[in-house]
Amino acid sequence: MSILQLNLNHCEAAQDLLYQTVREQHINVAILCEQYKNLGGNSWVSDVSGKAAVWACNSQAIQEVNTTLHSGFVWVKIDDMYIFSCYAYPSITIEDFANFLDRIVLEASCHKPAIIAGDFNAWATEWGSRLTNRRGEVLLEAFAQMSDMILMNTGTNPAFTRAGRSSIIDLTFVSGGLHRIATWKVCGIYTNSDHQAILITLDTSTRKNSSRWRTNSWNTKIFDGAAFTLMLEDECELRGSAEEKAGTLTSFISGACYAAMTRSRPRKHHSSVYWWTDTIADLRRCCNQARRRYQRARRLPEFSVLQEEFKSARRNLRQAIKESKQQCWRELCDADPWSGPYKIALKKLCKGTMQLPTRSNVRISWNSDFVKSDPR
């Protein structure tokens, strides 16, 4: 399972790029802070304040949602794991921050295994900060009550950077059982936010088994029934123990399948968001390069020049995304309402399959209903 952790900084362009990043990186769950807006549907769960959310991507099913509404954090149960998304305002008092952490600890103590991630706006040398402030001390004291929670941050690559300065405030805690199968890293992909995306990968056995099943499947579309029947006409001698007989029978049937059809290959292609173009991809690449040059030029004479180049590249990217979305909207309005627009609306309303109506059968259905209801 792939989990993405990101603070969107309440930026529309950052959330737009998030949709494309989720598709490119095959993300299953997104842990978000300061989102621009909340999505509808059962796959998106947000806290009361609208500053923390969990998004189940790629049709990942949410098994359970916290019934008690909280401000600053929310949790959901996915694949028998409890995933917390947290955001602590930098302006709240120490007392409110301590109460906020106590509520998280109380919920996490009753729901295991857990992943607690988010922007805590706290500094501590334990996760790579230069010093430990009061919020960091309170956080360490609160999480010390959960002996099985382990900090994933390495401290070598901070996820927050602004004006050439960086700090480690995006933290990830996981239960001990998940720590053994988890990898943590800061992604270099451009997000259009002051925060970089954090990728958490869980090497679960469920994912391995499902991948193996997809790899060993057959392409039944080219099935040759005559060849399959011909191969089965040969006599299969079963000898030895039960396991040996099962192996012989499996090899015999597999040989018939090889003669009748080929193996199916898993699809590696990912679909992009509807407004994504090659031009936007190039602009995102240029923007990421400009950001790296700007961040590395701190205390250098060309710092201000590189800063303006980065701002210009970021502005061009935002404008390109906005224009592409407007163009797609105009094309959708000009299209046949029973083709693209109807399919989009139907997809939002229900997940089942339904026959798409046309102008002819809609008119016939209306006339028949009119005739039936006519008192004459």
Side-chain angles (χ1 to χ4, degrees), residues 12 16 274-277 279-280 283 315-331:
E12 181 181 7
D16 288 337
Y274 68 94
W275 47 262
W276 190 257
T277 62
T279 302
I280 296 178
L283 289 175
R315 187 164 50 251
N316 294 336
L317 176 61
R318 291 176 177 176
Q319 184 64 25
I321 294 175
K322 185 177 181 180
E323 292 177 355
S324 178
K325 292 172 72 175
Q326 292 176 351
Q327 178 63 26
C328 292
W329 173 252
R330 287 192 293 267
E331 293 177 356

Side-chain angles (χ1 to χ4, degrees), residues 21-35:
T21 302
V22 163
R23 294 169 180 255
E24 290 180 349
Q25 302 297 324
H26 305 286
I27 302 300
N28 301 108
V29 181
I31 303 175
L32 306 175
C33 297
E34 290 193 287
Q35 59 272 21

Side-chain angles (χ1 to χ4, degrees), residues 197-215:
I198 297 174
L199 182 62
I200 307 146
T201 305
L202 300 177
D203 188 11
T204 58
S205 59
T206 304
R207 183 176 178 86
K208 291 181 180 179
N209 292 336
S210 60
S211 300
R212 188 187 308 116
W213 174 257
R214 289 193 300 267
T215 303

